[in-house]
Structures are given as structure tokens and as C-alpha cells.
Amino acid sequence: MTKLFLILHVLAAIMAIGPVAVAASMFPPVLRSALAGPGEAAPVTTLRTLHRICRVYAGVGIAVVVFGFATASSMGVLDSAWLITSIALTFIAAVILIVLVLPRQESALEVVAGVRAPGAEAAETSGTETAAAGQGTVGAVKLDARTSAQLAMFTGVFNVLWATVTILMIVRPGSTTGG
């Protein structure tokens, strides 16, 4: 049963986390493109697709955790330091995705797509001045290249955390296969 859980865990990680990592990384440059050419439909369509991929596969990513716990339980390693560290890093990555990346993507997409009037959210949430014409706000932050860079930073941290978890899963410090 351990091999089956391990196979399902690895497949779920590849099929769920990979698309989120790639799509989330592609979102900021496409957002910059959309900001550079307001009114163009292609970047907005691409942003919608990238955000949908991130949102859907983030939900599918729950399978990674479920099969991971099943694998660890069947292997009897739930109390291993490398696994506890991996669980903590996975939790932090999930929080970054759910709290920092997905909401910012959604807000940026709404502004770029014209669903929300530029400056509307900032005026509602913090009373700040509205943004210049052609640019909106994400929270109380003006939607511009800096916002895109910040989103790229959060996505980069998410990806580094997952890379670290992957390394811990392969090397497993203290194991006979950990080198």
C-alpha cells in the first residue's frame, strides 16, 4: 500500500503543484503586458486563463497533502524532522498562495479586465486617492509594474518553498537513501 500512496502522492504533486508554479510565474509578466497596452484583449484572456489554472490546481493540490500523509503514515515516518519541516513549509506555501498570490491575481485581473472601476477598491477600503486613468488598485496598492513585481516575489517565494519541500522529500536527511 505504501508504494501506491507514494505513487499517488508524487503524481498529485507533479499534476497539481507544477501547473500552479508555472501559471503563477507567468502571471506577473502578462500583467505588465496588459498594463502596457490597456484595452488589448489578448493579455486579459491570458490572465484569466492563468488565474483559473492557479485557482483550480491549488484546490487539486489538497490531494498532495492527503496522499503525503497517507504515505508518511504507512512508512511510519510521521515524527521525522524532515517530514515535519516539509509539512511546515507546505503550510507556509499554501498560505502564501491563498492569502498573497490568488487574491492579488484576482484583484489585478478585475481591474485590467475592467470589471472594477480603476481606483474603486482603494476608495472603498482605505479612502486613498484613486489611481490615474488606465490603472487601478489592488487593495490599497496602485496597480502598476511595482504591483506586478510584488506578485512575482510572492510567487517566487511559493516556488522556492515547493522546491525545498521536493528536495527534502528526495534527500530525506538521516535516511539510508538520503546520501
Side-chain angles (χ1 to χ4, degrees), residues 7-177:
I7 289 167
L8 293 173
H9 174 62
V10 171
L11 285 174
I14 292 168
M15 301 302 289
I17 306 307
V20 173
V22 172
S25 295
M26 292 174 64
F27 195 94
V30 176
L31 177 59
R32 285 189 293 275
S33 172
L35 292 171
E40 292 182 28
V44 175
T45 302
T46 303
L47 287 173
R48 278 192 185 108
T49 302
L50 292 172
H51 178 63
R52 188 177 314 121
I53 289 168
C54 290
R55 196 178 64 240
V56 168
Y57 283 93
V60 174
I62 294 169
V64 177
V65 175
V66 170
F67 290 128
F69 273 110
T71 303
S73 179
S74 68
M75 291 174 66
V77 294
L78 283 172
D79 59 347
S80 298
W82 63 269
L83 183 66
I84 294 167
T85 303
S86 294
I87 291 168
L89 294 175
T90 299
F91 177 76
I92 294 168
V95 168
I96 288 172
L97 182 65
I98 293 167
V99 174
L100 299 174
V101 175
L102 292 176
R104 280 177 171 76
Q105 284 182 349
E106 189 169 341
S107 295
L109 180 57
E110 288 175 358
V111 171
V112 171
V115 174
R116 183 181 337 140
E121 186 175 319
E124 292 170 10
T125 59
S126 66
T128 60
E129 295 178 21
T130 57
Q135 293 181 333
T137 59
V138 177
V141 179
K142 185 175 177 180
L143 179 60
D144 57 10
R146 187 173 182 201
T147 304
S148 175
Q150 189 178 49
L151 186 57
M153 177 191 66
F154 292 137
T155 300
V157 171
F158 170 82
N159 288 340
V160 166
L161 288 170
W162 271 110
T164 304
V165 169
T166 301
I167 291 166
L168 285 171
M169 292 290 129
I170 294 168
V171 174
R172 298 183 313 169
S175 77
T176 57
T177 61

